[in-house]
Amino acid sequence: MKTLLIWFVLMNLDTGHSTETHDQVLSITSKTQEQVDVLKNISTQHETVLWQPDSPQYIREESHVHLFVPANSSKTVKDLLQKHSIAYVILLDNTKELIEMQTRNVSTDPRSSSSYYQRYHSLEEIYYWINWTAQNNPSTVKVILIGSSYEKRPLYALKLTLNNRPNKTALWIDCGIHAREWIAPAFCLWFVQHSLSFYGRNKDITNILDNMDVYVLPVMNPDGYKYTWTTDRMWRKNRSISKGSSCIGVDLNRNFDANWCTMGASHEPCSQIYCGAFPESEPESQAVADFLRSHKDSVQLYLTIHSYSQMLLFPYSCTLDEVENHQDLLEMAQEAAQNIKRHYGNNYKYGAGAKTIYLAPGGSDDWVYNLGIKYSFTFELQDRGEYGFLLPPSHISKACKEAVTAVKAIALKVIEKTQVPTRSLYTV
Ligand code: DDK
Ligand code: ZN
């Protein structure tokens, strides 16, 4: 009888637990400075993880804060919010299911099928895919090892050369600087597949690939990406160990040498926007910087892919100053955003990073710009917080298609602006 009673109590506890409290993402809005301070505090404790903004230092009055709250802190966090009359709504109540949806059926489709590109893939599978793609396209695709990660994983970029005409310029795209932004690597795979299958069939893709070589780095932060598959889906930074702290990881998008670690980054290793010990302290950022330094004369367009919030950003993010070709970049981003709106109905914000989201020094786009690559953009792909980082696989296709639309618009403009008009060479 006694054991039966205990069993009954345990059963109830168990069901009560699983139906009432899941891991959740809350959308929280503070109205007063006092509430902002409380929220900043909450977002660094109770094992919560900030989704938006990326760091408490960006939280302001009236900003919509997206906060991941694990089940076992749910009550504490909600009690605190209620106690300080801070309004919140539950944005996601089924994070476990969404994570499962993102990792289900991986690697069951052949790499040649279109469904393969509508799923998320593990790091190992992406490495296989890189090799497979190069092997299947021996005359047009090469694998380049540009360096290795902190945990010694290879950083492979693909080089697409669809046309062998001389003096071609180049486009660089990197994906997955931030580990949890899974739509980014998915986009890099999509873009390569799209380029290879539509060259010679689609006018814009053909024009771009006739004029430019394309370098694609599908996963710039392999250690972090691996970690999001095995241990913590919410991880953002790389996985390097800091002297004198038990906290792990550097924000690679704060580690470049562009007003490094000024306002909008942190010297604190526990911060999500930790800038590292010095500029390019991390092997991942150093590898990309080294490659671009040695290819800066050919690379005319730099793109780096993130999520989420649907924005097309350009320098500067490290200062409020305007770049010299601000107007040019603004027009390109505007046209790209308009094309997305026209074809897919989604709104993308666009503008200089610092004025459009927040000051974010040490980013790859700003560093690349200062290196002399004057067409430099950060894309923040879908969505706007409906699923956030847990964008279901069924949304990959539309997210990638609209991003391809933006890449096309911008790349075509760059070609127009930088191409030597071949005719005039002979006629003048
Ligand atoms: O790194 C960030 O915080 C976001 C992407 Se999640 C981009 C900030 C603007 C571009 C900074 N170079
Ligand atoms: Zn990011």
Side-chain angles (χ1 to χ4, degrees):
M1 183 62 199
K2 206 174 167 193
T3 40
L4 196 74
L5 190 71
I6 291 172
W7 178 79
F8 181 76
V9 170
L10 281 176
M11 275 293 289
N12 265 339
L13 275 179
D14 191 42
T15 45
H17 188 79
S18 57
T19 52
E20 276 170 30
T21 42
H22 301 137
D23 297 347
Q24 290 178 330
V25 178
L26 307 181
S27 180
I28 311 168
T29 313
S30 304
K31 299 244 184 273
T32 65
Q33 189 53 46
E34 190 230 319
Q35 292 177 332
V36 167
D37 294 337
V38 173
L39 186 50
K40 282 185 179 180
N41 244 313
I42 292 175
S43 71
T44 55
Q45 294 172 48
H46 318 291
E47 294 173 71
T48 61
V49 184
L50 265 176
W51 273 25
Q52 184 195 287
D54 296 299
S55 162
Q57 60 173 258
Y58 297 125
I59 299 176
R60 303 268 180 277
E61 290 165 35
E62 301 296 337
S63 49
H64 296 289
V65 172
H66 298 169
L67 186 69
F68 174 82
V69 182
N72 54 17
S73 324
S74 180
K75 188 167 173 350
T76 322
V77 167
K78 286 174 186 168
D79 286 352
L80 274 168
L81 292 172
Q82 257 145 28
K83 190 174 141 207
H84 293 91
S85 317
I86 304 173
Y88 71 89
V89 293
I90 296 168
L91 209 57
L92 295 178
D93 192 34
N94 55 341
T95 57
K96 285 229 167 75
E97 282 160 55
L98 289 171
I99 291 171
E100 205 190 78
M101 237 200 265
Q102 286 191 318
T103 51
R104 201 183 296 153
N105 292 331
V106 284
S107 315
T108 51
D109 319 290
R111 297 180 185 115
S112 56
S113 72
S114 60
S115 56
Y116 181 88
Y117 298 88
Q118 300 176 37
R119 294 192 198 286
Y120 298 106
H121 296 286
S122 67
L123 183 66
E124 287 71 24
E125 176 52 37
I126 294 176
Y127 281 133
Y128 283 123
W129 173 86
I130 288 171
N131 263 322
W132 177 86
T133 303
Q135 270 167 19
N136 280 280
N137 300 276
S139 58
T140 51
V141 179
K142 288 205 160 38
V143 180
I144 307 174
L145 179 67
I146 67 155
S148 57
S149 68
Y150 183 83
E151 292 173 349
K152 305 285 180 243
R153 293 191 176 86
L155 298 170
Y156 291 125
L158 291 173
K159 182 183 185 185
L160 314 187
T161 310
L162 274 295
N163 180 317
N164 274 318
R165 71 168 67 160
N167 304 321
K168 279 168 78 187
T169 61
L171 153 64
W172 166 280
I173 306 181
D174 59 61
C175 295
I177 290 189
H178 290 139
R180 62 193 179 181
E181 300 164 7
W182 281 14
I183 189 63
F187 173 75
C188 263
L189 270 59
W190 182 286
F191 186 79
V192 169
Q193 151 74 15
H194 185 84
S195 299
L196 295 175
S197 49
F198 284 94
Y199 179 78
R201 293 206 278 151
N202 171 281
K203 183 168 66 59
D204 293 341
I205 286 291
T206 309
N207 188 358
I208 292 166
L209 291 162
D210 275 343
N211 287 285
M212 289 174 148
D213 290 333
V214 181
Y215 298 102
V216 179
L217 175 58
V219 189
M220 178 165 162
N221 175 11
D223 302 345
Y225 189 69
K226 171 90 193 176
Y227 195 69
T228 59
W229 276 77
T230 57
T231 314
D232 179 2
R233 180 63 188 81
M234 306 307 158
W235 193 257
R236 166 180 167 96
K237 302 185 283 180
N238 77 347
R239 293 292 303 163
S240 74
I241 289 166
S242 296
K243 278 205 192 101
S245 172
S246 59
C247 286
I248 287 184
V250 168
D251 182 348
L252 297 174
N253 212 27
R254 299 291 182 280
N255 191 235
F256 286 81
D257 199 1
N259 291 2
W260 177 79
C261 223
T262 52
M263 174 115 91
S266 171
H267 284 286
E268 165 53 54
C270 298
S271 167
Q272 294 275 42
I273 50 172
Y274 174 45
C275 59
F278 51 88
E280 290 178 33
S281 58
E282 304 310 293
E284 297 87 355
S285 29
Q286 205 197 358
V288 171
D290 280 344
F291 185 87
L292 290 168
R293 266 190 288 265
S294 61
H295 293 77
K296 68 177 170 141
D297 295 332
S298 59
V299 177
Q300 298 275 9
L301 172 56
Y302 172 87
L303 300 174
T304 180
I305 311 297
H306 292 253
S307 75
Y308 60 93
S309 66
Q310 298 180 192
M311 292 183 189
L312 309 176
L313 304 168
F314 51 82
Y316 284 121
S317 296
C318 65
T319 162
L320 289 162
D321 295 351
E322 266 185 15
V323 292
E324 162 267 315
N325 61 341
H326 176 88
Q327 202 53 37
D328 255 16
L329 297 175
L330 184 71
E331 280 164 20
M332 293 159 87
Q334 176 180 333
E335 184 175 327
Q338 283 169 349
N339 288 357
I340 291 177
K341 177 74 185 169
R342 190 168 55 241
H343 293 295
Y344 300 99
N346 276 342
N347 289 313
Y348 275 65
K349 279 196 195 165
Y350 53 90
K355 290 178 199 157
T356 311
I357 8 177
Y358 39 59
L359 274 170
S364 58
D365 54 353
D366 285 356
W367 177 81
V368 159
Y369 181 87
N370 288 340
L371 181 70
I373 300 172
K374 297 296 176 196
Y375 301 101
S376 174
F377 295 85
T378 295
F379 285 8
E380 290 255 38
L381 306 190
Q382 282 188 22
D383 56 13
R384 284 198 149 160
E386 193 189 349
Y387 296 103
F389 303 119
L390 304 182
L391 193 71
S394 56
H395 293 228
I396 292 175
S397 152
K398 192 173 167 201
C400 290
K401 282 181 185 164
E402 63 192 22
V404 167
T405 299
V407 176
K408 279 188 191 173
I410 290 172
L412 289 172
K413 276 265 185 271
V414 170
I415 290 167
E416 214 179 281
K417 285 169 195 283
T418 56
Q419 216 174 29
V420 189
T422 18
R423 261 266 214 77
S424 64
L425 281 179
Y426 300 98
T427 49
V428 172

